[in-house]
Amino acid sequence: MFKFILPVGSGSSLCRDCVSERCRVLRLKKQLDEDYKEISNLVKRATSDGYWVSKPSLRSWRQLALEQLEEDEEESKHSNGQTNGQGPHINNKFGMEANVGTEDETKTFNEDIVCTHGALSILETERKLVSTEVWTKLREYFPRAPEFTHMQEPCRQCLTLEQEEKDNEAVSKMMALEQKNQLLNLFHEKNRPVLTKWPQVKRRAVDCEAFNFQFF
């Protein structure tokens, strides 16, 4: 338990709400450190089911959570507790409420494995499969993070576009190779068409008188 002790006879006093908030932040930071160590050990274990998590997000989740905690702490100092006219709220592990649809640090977690069509990215090297236990702990800090189970198929539209790009690239390479071979054959005088018999030009007698040639 965290305690704040003031010097005797100082005549100073602290706001009860401020002290409570400060104690809460210290407890959460301690819990964050413990969760970070536990998750770091759990992700080392291979799993065949669970959830897909972005590798960059998995490396930086502690920093993102800490920044969100500090941001929430700063906002709580200026908040009057009124939420009239605001949208629905979702609580994260910090106990803070965030408006759905607002821009904040929690929205960046795991979003880099979402393709432009809003589905799971086809880049398998950019994501890692983690256990349900790990994902549950991460969701406590990032409740609005995109969620993809191990059964989720990659975006079909992205797969189609990727295949079309590969096909076009293969055709381009084949055409370039064919043109290169043709140029080499011309240079080395190979594979040229061979005529077994030259075409005969029929000659016909020309009547000079018909042209009224005059000789001097």
Side-chain angles (χ1 to χ4, degrees), residues 117-213:
H117 307 108
L120 179 62
S121 171
I122 62 176
L123 300 177
E124 296 184 5
T125 57
E126 296 298 319
R127 47 188 165 93
K128 180 180 178 62
L129 191 63
V130 300
S131 65
T132 302
E133 183 179 2
V134 171
W135 179 249
T136 301
K137 288 183 175 295
L138 291 173
R139 285 278 289 185
E140 291 179 353
Y141 291 96
F142 310 101
R144 294 201 304 274
E147 182 176 284
F148 300 103
T149 68
H150 69 285
M151 299 292 293
Q152 180 69 44
E153 295 183 356
C155 177
R156 292 185 178 274
Q157 290 179 269
C158 289
L159 289 174
T160 300
L161 293 174
E162 182 187 42
Q163 187 60 47
E164 291 178 354
E165 184 177 352
K166 288 182 178 179
D167 293 342
N168 293 335
E169 184 178 355
V171 172
S172 298
K173 288 183 178 180
M174 183 176 63
M175 293 178 61
L177 181 60
E178 183 178 355
Q179 292 177 356
K180 179 180 179 181
N181 291 334
Q182 290 177 353
L183 290 174
L184 289 175
N185 290 335
L186 289 174
F187 180 77
H188 295 291
E189 297 184 353
K190 294 181 179 180
N191 296 333
R192 288 189 173 187
V194 178
L195 296 177
T196 57
K197 185 178 181 180
W198 288 95
Q200 298 294 326
V201 179
K202 293 183 179 181
R203 298 180 180 180
R204 60 180 180 177
V206 178
D207 188 357
C208 293
E209 294 181 358
F211 292 95
N212 295 323
F213 289 151

Side-chain angles (χ1 to χ4, degrees), residues 5-67:
I5 302 177
L6 294 175
V8 178
S10 62
S12 300
S13 62
L14 291 177
C15 171
R16 178 184 295 274
D17 293 338
C18 293
V19 173
S20 299
E21 176 63 20
R22 184 56 182 167
C23 290
R24 186 186 70 85
V25 170
L26 293 175
R27 287 195 299 269
L28 289 174
K29 286 184 177 180
K30 181 180 179 181
Q31 183 63 45
L32 177 60
D33 291 337
E34 294 176 357
D35 288 341
Y36 176 74
K37 293 178 181 178
E38 184 176 2
I39 290 177
S40 297
N41 291 328
L42 290 174
V43 295
K44 296 177 182 178
R45 305 174 185 175
T47 180
S48 58
D49 56 6
Y51 296 83
W52 290 110
V53 177
S54 158
K55 289 183 178 180
S57 292
L58 195 58
R59 289 192 296 265
S60 61
W61 77 267
R62 180 178 180 274
Q63 181 62 30
L64 291 174
L66 186 60
E67 291 175 359

Side-chain angles (χ1 to χ4, degrees), residues 25-119:
V25 170
L26 293 175
R27 287 195 299 269
L28 289 174
K29 286 184 177 180
K30 181 180 179 181
Q31 183 63 45
L32 177 60
D33 291 337
E34 294 176 357
D35 288 341
Y36 176 74
K37 293 178 181 178
E38 184 176 2
I39 290 177
S40 297
N41 291 328
L42 290 174
V43 295
K44 296 177 182 178
R45 305 174 185 175
T47 180
S48 58
D49 56 6
Y51 296 83
W52 290 110
V53 177
S54 158
K55 289 183 178 180
S57 292
L58 195 58
R59 289 192 296 265
S60 61
W61 77 267
R62 180 178 180 274
Q63 181 62 30
L64 291 174
L66 186 60
E67 291 175 359
Q68 179 62 26
L69 174 59
E70 294 173 349
E71 180 180 335
D72 291 341
E73 180 184 9
E74 185 65 24
E75 289 179 356
S76 65
K77 295 179 182 179
H78 306 285
S79 175
N80 56 9
Q82 296 180 356
T83 59
N84 292 335
Q86 297 181 358
H89 295 75
I90 299 178
N91 290 335
N92 58 14
K93 189 165 185 174
F94 303 135
M96 300 298 296
E97 292 183 336
N99 291 333
V100 175
T102 58
E103 295 293 334
D104 52 49
E105 293 295 337
T106 60
K107 290 193 66 177
T108 64
F109 182 81
N110 215 34
E111 281 199 344
D112 38 0
I113 62 171
V114 180
C115 72
T116 55
H117 307 108

